[in-house]
Amino acid sequence: MIYRSLLRPILFRLPAETAHGLALASLSFSSTLTKKLAGDRYRRSPFGKLRRFGLTFDNPVGLAAGFDKDGVALSSLAGLGFGFIEAGTVTYHPQSGNKRPRLFRLPLDKALINRAGFNNQGAADFVKRVSLNKPDCVLGVSIGKSKTVDLENAVDDYLKSFELVYPVADYIAVNVSSPNTARLRELQQADQLDALLQALQTLNDKLAMKSGRSALLPLLVKLSPDLETDELAEIVQVAQRHQVAGLIATNTTTKRAGLRTNANKVAALGDGGLSGAPLRPQAAKAIATLYNLTRGTLPIIGVGGIFDANDAWELIAAGASLIQVYTGFIYEGPSIAKDINEGLRRIISREGFVSFDEAVGCRAAEYANKSS
Ligand SMILES: Cc1cc2nc3c(=O)[nH]c(=O)nc-3n(C[C@H](O)[C@H](O)[C@H](O)COP(=O)(O)O)c2cc1C
């Protein structure tokens, strides 16, 4: 409440990336404070602990990739009640990303447009920082392709990042869906994805033997919302062939349809991925399609346009068994994880389900057939 009436108006007067930097810097100094503010029950799930791909989650609400790319504020963010955090996307080579400005708010649409371009200090730097300061929740690490590496050499580049982040990650997310790195999304094509996942899982297996792990580290793939059903079907086959632990749906969209913000104004902002409320129907449809294609056997992390518990419920009913927020966190503030968890408890019992897991995918058929 204080956030929306007091802090947000101040932050929203600043350029979007300046506000983000300020928020992240304050968080990086205040890990004990966030926990104190939230109280000792800060992360308790209303549904008990959730088991997903071999990991135990305190609650189903996560922070999506891209918010803390370099892992500078993970403990504070965990203190805000997130059940998990996906840090990164990191690349093997440190890189500065696209020219600023590259992040824009569309308040009328509760949306953002960004073309950050994987600005990060590199996977090695990330690991040094995070190994000294692991958050006390599940930590996913998202890896992407370095800008200076051609698509033809992408597999090797991903392998190098994978090996570096392996010791600090509870799961690794392969980002092949950001629209802000040239040609990256071509890696979602079945033959390219097949080669990438084959190489990553071979390394995963080798590292498991070396470190004495009894199983592969969960490897997830993050997908674009702009894929057609037949493309999703091919991806599911490839993912299953390589024992992928789960899918993350979705990244930002390059579409601009149905926005309230003046079309000329939107066009003037230029290229980038759109996130926030307008993305939710597209994300719900992708999630439901994936849920149906896998008959609910592959966990899906639902992300796109979640601002409150009703939005989260939409993606859970479509088939997501965990959810993430990014744009909603910017608009709604630090209590978003707690608020969504409390709201979900009410919704799920109102809908007559006895457990969280029973509710997952209950409306997948409906959402898969909706036009987004
Ligand atoms: C500024 C910004 C940066 C992002 N950076 C990344 C990233 O590095 N890696 C990634 O997988 N997704 C990234 N995303 C996408 C989000 O993780 C998420 O998939 C998307 O924004 C949809 O969720 P939302 O509507 O809750 O924001 C970024 C999103 C924004 C707004």
Side-chain angles (χ1 to χ4, degrees), residues 20 63-67 69 86-90 102-103 110 112-119 142-143 173-178 180 222-223 248-253 273-280 283 303-307 324-330:
H20 180 255
L63 180 62
F67 187 85
K69 292 179 191 274
E86 196 168 300
T89 296
V90 292
R102 54 194 179 185
L103 175 60
K110 291 170 69 181
L112 297 171
I113 288 178
N114 94 85
R115 53 171 169 277
F118 295 162
N119 52 304
S142 168
I143 57 173
V174 188
N175 183 358
V176 282
S177 48
S178 165
N180 302 314
K222 184 161 177 180
L223 300 172
I248 307 169
T250 66
N251 214 313
T252 55
T253 176
L274 174 77
S275 59
L279 177 60
R280 199 170 58 253
V303 50
I306 297 179
F307 289 70
Q324 292 176 329
V325 295
Y326 188 133
T327 306
F329 184 41
I330 307 285

